[in-house]
Amino acid sequence: MSSVAPFFRFGVIGDPQYGDKVDAFVEGRNQRYREVPGKLQEAAEKLSTEDLTFVLVMGDLIDGQPTEDSQQMKEARAYWESHPLSDSKPNMMEWNGGLSQEQMRWLDSELAAAEAAEEKLVVASHHPIGKDCARPTHMVISHIEAVVP
């Protein structure tokens, strides 16, 4: 084991999906929506005993969809329509996330600033955006435009 101390340590909680609804079998696993608050409390108590710099929640706190008339949903619908689901685009599922144009501009700006300052950074997202870092069906819908080396 290395004797070099890490720069920082962080915790990760993945995709809790709270919902006031009955349990369901989703994507090959049981989804116990109403158990989420208790499970998050357990996780917070455990993580608070660790020497962590921060904790990321990598997913949906609430199981749901944005409103149909939101700007993000309008952009997503337009993107889906111009990039239909196909063998070459297996990630074009309506449940899959993406980056809006505003988010893409922000990410580009942050990456450029970090590069100019010679800083290292971590890019975290609910659905992966890096090349070949997840099953093709689970990449963000706009991952080609948002490829992070």
Side-chain angles (χ1 to χ4, degrees):
M1 185 164 166
S2 173
S3 62
V4 177
F7 291 114
F8 60 88
R9 295 178 63 219
F10 64 95
V12 176
I13 297 174
D15 209 13
Q17 301 271 347
Y18 168 74
D20 187 17
K21 52 188 172 181
V22 298
D23 295 348
F25 192 72
V26 180
E27 292 185 17
R29 62 178 167 39
N30 289 317
Q31 189 69 38
R32 296 182 177 91
Y33 300 103
R34 291 184 180 127
E35 292 181 16
V36 169
K39 297 289 184 183
L40 285 174
Q41 182 65 38
E42 288 177 39
E45 289 170 5
K46 171 62 177 154
L47 292 169
S48 72
T49 67
E50 302 292 328
D51 181 23
L52 303 175
T53 305
F54 60 91
V55 175
L56 290 173
V57 178
M58 301 293 296
D60 306 315
L61 281 173
I62 297 172
D63 185 70
Q65 296 291 326
T67 60
E68 287 296 318
D69 61 347
S70 71
Q71 182 59 35
Q72 292 89 354
M73 202 59 172
K74 288 175 185 173
E75 279 188 40
R77 293 247 177 261
Y79 195 91
W80 284 317
E81 289 171 11
S82 63
H83 299 81
L85 179 66
S86 66
D87 288 343
S88 65
K89 293 182 178 69
N91 61 316
M92 298 307 295
M93 309 294 275
E94 287 203 20
W95 49 260
N96 219 340
L99 296 173
S100 68
Q101 293 302 312
E102 179 182 354
Q103 290 169 320
M104 196 82 74
R105 285 189 297 275
W106 174 84
L107 179 59
D108 286 343
S109 172
E110 291 296 310
L111 292 171
E115 184 175 33
E118 297 183 2
E119 295 175 333
K120 296 184 185 297
L121 54 84
V122 174
V123 175
S125 174
H126 174 49
H127 289 276
I129 61 176
K131 187 176 191 276
D132 299 326
C133 64
R135 295 184 306 228
T137 54
H138 285 69
M139 297 293 292
V140 296
I141 63 173
S142 51
H143 78 280
I144 299 301
E145 291 86 350
V147 170
V148 176

